[in-house]
């Protein structure tokens, strides 16, 4: 177990700044998820931690030791990739033990470690099988086992679930998290999938274009996004955004409709802003005296999700998503009264996108 510390780590490929100077701390035993759209620099950052890619600048510390210039094998880390290429001609047991054989561990020690690991991952009945006789999920578990068997100080994952189908992904997500909670191995997990980030992380780091945008516990990032990018990237469906002008009384939409500021909200300097509202903070406005901003709108479209439904409506002409109970609304210009929670209205600077 170990803590990891990145200090101003950056990477440039020629003229491409893949990772801007970034400082990230991972506490001992923590499960940190690096999340962001494809091409934002996640894999590059992970590969620098692993030593597979030299840094252009900055230092990497593991458990108080500067590992920046160490070879991958001297870093005491194990990595699990998206394409977890198992050795096809070896049994599960041989695949699991391979790294330990390379280290020259005695046979009995290897056998014991393989047994322990197989036990932890429920692979014991499969030890004599070849990879081609395994399901996708079982292969992924063997790949995890291969990393785990080395008892690394740090676990690195690069989109390990991207090749699995949706149902298996949910199961594996829980398995990985459960395994990590039992072993408490400090982990850095890279994904472009915000659902994985929300559900797995102790703490998320949101990246965009090589820059860290925000870091914090998932719910904190969800509830208090630092900017409009994070607001729309984290959460499903994405937060609805609309343009407005801040005035002393409230935010005036293009249609002239003004949303009053929530009481106690820090004042917003008059000028152009972007507003954001999450679908679950727009409710059916059944009681006119309930707190919030009541408005009438047409329902353009409804998506039923079983447990709830998403309705596409309009607020002063701007599209807005509302999460409503199933079966209550139908699309096709049905008129409805809705209520917007002003306490949960997000306000961003129009130019910088920063939360105000
Ligand atoms: N070996 C490389 N040579 C040149 N450019 C690279 C190399 N590896 C990655 N890049 C570029 O760096 C950026 C970040 O890539 P990457 O870290 O793979 O992103 P992510 O994993 O978030 O999808 C991209 O613009 C990518 O094209
Ligand atoms: Mg990648």
């Amino acid at each position: 177990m170990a803590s990891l510390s990145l200090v101003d780590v950056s990477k440039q490929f020629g003229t491409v700044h893949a990772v801007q100077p970034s400082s990230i701390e991972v506490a001992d035993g923590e499960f940190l998820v690096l999340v962001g759209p494809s091409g934002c620099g996640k894999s590059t950052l992970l590969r620098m931690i692993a030593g597979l890619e030299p840094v252009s600048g900055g230092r990497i510390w593991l458990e108080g030791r500067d590992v920046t210039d160490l070879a991958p094998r001297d870093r005491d880390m194990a990595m699990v990739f998206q394409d977890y290429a198992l050795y096809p001609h070896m049994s599960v047991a041989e695949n699991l033990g391979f790294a330990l054989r390379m280290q020259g561990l005695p046979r009995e020690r290897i056998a014991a470690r393989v047994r322990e690991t197989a036990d932890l991952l429920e692979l014991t009945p499969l030890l004599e099988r070849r990879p081609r006789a395994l399901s996708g999920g079982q292969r992924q578990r063997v790949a995890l086992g291969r990393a785990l068997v080395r008892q690394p100080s740090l676990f690195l994952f690069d989109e390990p679930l991207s090749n699995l189908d949706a149902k298996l992904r949910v199961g594996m997500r829980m398995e990985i998290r459960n395994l990590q909670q039992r072993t408490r191995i400090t982990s850095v997990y890279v994904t472009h999938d915000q659902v994985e980030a929300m559900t797995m992380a102790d703490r998320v780091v949101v990246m965009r274009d090589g820059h860290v945008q925000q870091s914090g516990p998932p719910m904190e990032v969800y509830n208090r996004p630092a900017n409009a990018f994070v607001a729309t990237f984290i959460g499903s469906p994405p937060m609805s955004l609309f343009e407005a002008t801040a005035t002393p009384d409230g935010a005036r939409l293009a249609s002239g409709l003004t949303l009053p500021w929530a009481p106690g909200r820090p004042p917003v300097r008059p000028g152009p802003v972007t507003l954001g509202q999450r679908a679950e903070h727009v409710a059916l406005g059944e009681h006119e005296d309930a707190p919030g901003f009541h408005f009438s709108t047409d329902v353009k479209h409804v998506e039923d999700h079983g447990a709830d439904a998403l309705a596409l409506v309009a607020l002063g002409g701007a599209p807005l998503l509302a999460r409503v109970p199933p079966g209550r609304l139908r699309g096709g210009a049905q008129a409805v009264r809705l209520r917007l929670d002003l306490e949960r209205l997000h306000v961003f600077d129009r130019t910088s996108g920063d939360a105000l």
Side-chain angles (χ1 to χ4, degrees), residues 13 16 18-19 36-45 53 158-159 190:
F13 294 108
V16 177
V19 178
S38 174
C40 73
K42 306 179 296 291
S43 294
T44 304
L45 197 51
E53 198 74 74
D158 195 353
E159 314 235 10
V190 159

Side-chain angles (χ1 to χ4, degrees), residues 263-281:
R265 180 191 206 296
V268 179
R269 194 147 42 86
V273 292
T274 301
L275 302 178
Q277 189 79 356
R278 292 213 185 270
E280 66 266 36
H281 299 136

Side-chain angles (χ1 to χ4, degrees), residues 64-300:
R65 184 169 68 122
D66 186 340
V67 299
T68 318
D69 302 315
L70 293 186
R73 64 172 179 284
D74 298 326
R75 293 192 185 202
D76 196 18
M77 303 175 181
M79 189 145 165
V80 183
F81 298 92
Q82 178 178 340
D83 43 5
Y84 34 82
L86 303 175
Y87 299 110
H89 56 288
M90 292 185 194
S91 67
V92 168
E94 286 164 341
N95 265 286
L96 289 176
F98 184 76
L100 303 180
R101 282 201 300 282
M102 290 294 105
Q103 285 173 13
L105 248 61
R107 287 236 319 257
E108 311 75 64
R109 286 269 305 282
I110 297 176
R113 256 319 165 83
V114 166
R115 263 200 313 277
E116 257 172 49
T117 307
D119 219 29
L120 200 60
L121 287 162
E122 292 171 30
L123 288 170
T124 309
L126 308 174
L127 280 173
E128 295 317 315
R129 288 216 199 153
R130 295 284 161 91
R132 70 168 175 278
L134 301 176
S135 70
Q138 290 167 336
R139 280 182 214 165
Q140 189 54 270
R141 290 222 294 277
V142 178
L144 282 177
R146 263 198 330 196
L148 193 66
V149 81
R150 294 165 45 196
Q151 303 180 319
S153 299
L154 190 68
F155 238 146
L156 303 174
F157 300 88
D158 195 353
E159 314 235 10
L161 307 185
S162 296
N163 283 346
L164 303 179
D165 65 53
K167 188 168 159 224
L168 202 51
R169 252 193 334 255
V170 176
M172 284 306 295
R173 182 162 101 194
M174 292 191 182
E175 275 191 37
I176 291 179
R177 200 53 242 263
N178 183 271
L179 179 71
Q180 195 271 339
Q181 275 165 349
R182 280 180 292 154
T183 58
R184 304 305 308 171
I185 298 176
T186 310
S187 302
V188 181
Y189 185 103
V190 159
T191 180
H192 67 275
D193 180 347
Q194 62 86 24
V195 178
E196 279 178 28
M198 281 298 290
T199 54
M200 297 177 79
D202 289 322
R203 206 151 50 82
V204 296
V205 171
V206 185
M207 287 182 69
R208 178 198 201 184
D209 295 340
H211 290 272
V212 170
Q213 302 285 302
Q214 185 172 8
S215 78
M219 283 312 286
E220 186 182 305
V221 172
Y222 183 82
N223 288 323
R224 287 198 296 280
N227 58 42
F229 169 77
V230 175
T232 51
F233 188 77
I234 299 287
S236 176
M239 183 185 285
S240 304
L241 295 182
F242 28 96
E243 297 194 342
T245 306
T247 72
D249 304 327
R252 195 177 66 238
L253 306 181
S255 65
L257 192 70
T258 295
L259 303 178
W261 301 123
R265 180 191 206 296
V268 179
R269 194 147 42 86
V273 292
T274 301
L275 302 178
Q277 189 79 356
R278 292 213 185 270
E280 66 266 36
H281 299 136
V282 185
L284 294 176
E286 285 154 317
H287 308 288
E288 287 294 323
D289 49 356
F293 182 80
H294 295 255
F295 64 105
S296 297
T297 175
D298 287 346
V299 180
K300 294 184 166 41

Side-chain angles (χ1 to χ4, degrees), residues 301-314:
H301 183 71
V302 177
E303 231 181 39
D304 255 306
H305 288 218
D308 58 17
L310 281 180
L312 177 62
V313 300

